[in-house]
Amino acid sequence: MNLANRITLARIFLVPVVVFTLLVRFNFWTVTINHRTTTGSEMIAALVFIIAATTDGLDGYIARKRKLVTNFGKFLDPLADKLLISAVLISLVEMQRLSAWVAILIISREFAVTGLRLVAAAEGIVIAASRLAKWKTATQVVAMVALIINNFPFSVIGFPFDTLAVYAMVIMTLASGVDYFVKNKHVIQMDA
């Protein structure tokens, strides 16, 4: 197994670590500001999530730069992304920091685009990640980190950064999903 695929696999192994640190409360450090509490375990979860999310770009960069692109990697990378994002979204719903409809919308978009890619792959067409999709991923990571740490440090000044980040995440998720289907409508028409 090459280095890029090992990094992708590491991202999958970090998923339960992120979920565990999110859902199991450790009281070694707690700060409450404006009725919002952030724990040490949430800060650790945010850090692990950021590390895992960062590996998404790293594995692709290494695979392309070192010419290590494999079919296994093409399969594993999007799977790792979906597992990480879905697990954190579901955990945030469980923590009552995210509305279920937001998680459902984002996870549905991920599955829809994956389905489109599978149909395209069956036709021998590769659908690469668009620039808009990369921005979508960035807004998802920012919003989820803000939710994980319960809007800290913005809660100090009462600024609803987490709420604004969720709105941006929803807008970017919808926009990138529509973009994929509009730009690749020929794939759907070919299969019909």
Side-chain angles (χ1 to χ4, degrees):
M1 182 178 299
N2 66 44
L3 178 61
N5 290 343
R6 286 184 183 148
I7 291 170
T8 305
L9 206 54
R11 184 161 69 254
I12 292 173
F13 288 129
L14 286 175
V15 171
V17 176
V18 173
V19 171
F20 180 79
T21 54
L22 272 174
L23 300 179
V24 178
R25 303 292 177 150
F26 300 104
N27 291 325
F28 62 89
W29 176 81
T30 302
V31 62
T32 302
I33 300 169
N34 293 331
H35 308 292
R36 287 184 165 215
T37 300
T38 303
T39 66
S41 61
E42 291 166 349
M43 294 299 249
I44 292 169
L47 180 64
V48 175
F49 175 66
I50 290 167
I51 291 167
T54 304
T55 65
D56 182 26
L58 181 63
D59 60 6
Y61 173 77
I62 289 171
R64 287 185 299 277
K65 179 131 176 118
R66 296 186 182 180
K67 297 182 179 18
L68 299 174
V69 176
T70 64
N71 286 333
F72 180 67
K74 288 178 189 177
F75 165 76
L76 196 62
D77 183 61
L79 177 65
D81 298 343
K82 305 308 178 250
L83 288 172
L84 179 64
I85 296 300
S86 298
V88 173
L89 288 170
I90 293 165
S91 298
L92 289 168
V93 170
E94 171 69 20
M95 296 168 69
Q96 298 181 348
R97 293 197 183 161
L98 183 68
S99 295
W101 72 265
V102 174
I104 291 166
L105 179 94
I106 293 168
I107 293 168
S108 297
R109 179 261 183 220
E110 299 299 333
F111 279 103
V113 170
T114 298
L116 177 65
R117 283 191 164 131
L118 289 172
V119 170
E123 300 293 333
I125 301 167
V126 176
I127 300 176
S130 67
R131 177 170 281 154
L132 194 56
K134 291 176 183 179
W135 279 101
K136 180 264 314 174
T137 301
T139 59
Q140 284 180 344
V141 171
V142 169
M144 286 190 259
V145 169
L147 291 169
I148 289 170
I149 60 176
N150 210 9
N151 204 39
F152 183 81
F154 296 100
S155 55
V156 173
I157 57 172
F159 182 70
F161 179 80
D162 56 348
T163 303
L164 297 174
V166 168
Y167 287 138
M169 173 174 67
V170 168
I171 290 166
M172 291 302 293
T173 297
L174 289 173
S176 67
V178 168
D179 182 59
Y180 270 112
F181 280 90
V182 168
K183 286 184 177 173
N184 297 289
K185 63 184 173 204
H186 63 280
V187 172
I188 299 167
Q189 292 168 346
M190 287 172 46
D191 196 55

